[in-house]
Amino acid sequence: FYDPAEAFEIDQHESVVKVREQQNEAITIKDCLNMFLNEEKLGEEELWYCPNCREMRPATKKLDLWKLPPVLVVHLKRFQQIRYHWVKFRKPVLFPLHSFDLSPYLPTSSLSASSNFSTPVYELYAVANHIGSLGGGHYTAYAKYEGEGSEEDE
């Protein structure tokens, strides 16, 4: 006879358990920046046309930060295509509330050059969250308020 309770009592291989645990482990915003700024080898479908030899060649892509704005907005890509479906990346991302220093990501020449602000250190003021899937959902937002009646005002 079929017992629905027993249907969910299956032995899982340790690799499956490990992958499921890793999917829920938090990463930091610095981990995300490091992944974004790493050199990436482009695939066979993304060959580069070399103007010298006039042939399609394998290539790499590398992004760097050179200059930062006084107000920084960070948008995290939370969806990825797996086969023919878009899947939401649900891993929590830890972001410091105070003193988010981006100077390690800038070349020394950028730090010494004159700019509109003294150091590339940021304070978190707001967060927008998307709850749902690619096809629909809701947005919620949290923002720091320092006006009359706020805790910092007392």
Side-chain angles (χ1 to χ4, degrees):
F1 294 101
Y2 175 74
D3 182 0
E6 283 185 25
F8 292 101
E9 293 178 14
I10 58 172
D11 290 330
Q12 293 184 347
H13 189 268
E14 63 186 48
S15 64
V16 173
V17 173
K18 185 176 181 178
V19 166
R20 286 199 176 135
E21 288 172 355
Q22 288 174 344
Q23 288 174 340
N24 294 323
E25 287 178 3
I27 59 173
T28 67
I29 191 69
K30 288 186 178 186
D31 294 331
C32 296
L33 269 171
N34 288 332
M35 286 186 273
F36 179 72
L37 298 173
N38 277 343
E39 186 173 284
E40 176 185 349
K41 184 176 179 182
L42 300 177
E44 288 296 318
E45 66 280 354
E46 301 173 294
L47 296 175
W48 173 72
Y49 178 76
C50 175
N52 294 331
C53 66
R54 296 182 180 170
E55 292 184 19
M56 300 302 285
R57 298 275 188 191
T60 60
K61 175 176 75 173
K62 173 78 170 91
L63 301 174
D64 289 309
L65 300 178
W66 288 92
K67 189 175 177 183
L68 293 168
V71 176
L72 178 69
V73 176
V74 177
H75 179 266
L76 301 174
K77 177 183 169 187
R78 302 298 284 181
F79 293 95
Q80 65 185 78
Q81 189 171 13
I82 298 177
R83 295 192 183 213
Y84 302 106
H85 302 293
W86 286 94
V87 177
K88 187 168 184 178
F89 184 68
R90 298 187 182 278
K91 189 176 282 242
V93 177
L94 303 176
F95 194 102
L97 298 178
H98 305 286
S99 304
F100 180 41
D101 185 6
L102 289 178
S103 58
Y105 298 95
L106 293 172
T108 309
S109 59
S110 292
L111 292 171
S112 59
S114 63
S115 64
N116 294 339
F117 63 106
S118 57
T119 59
V121 177
Y122 296 91
E123 300 293 311
L124 182 63
Y125 286 98
V127 174
N129 294 305
H130 177 262
I131 301 164
S133 64
L134 185 64
H138 299 280
Y139 284 94
T140 60
Y142 302 93
K144 185 177 182 178
Y145 175 67
E146 296 178 352
E148 186 178 322
S150 69
E151 289 181 19
E152 292 183 12
D153 194 39
E154 296 173 359

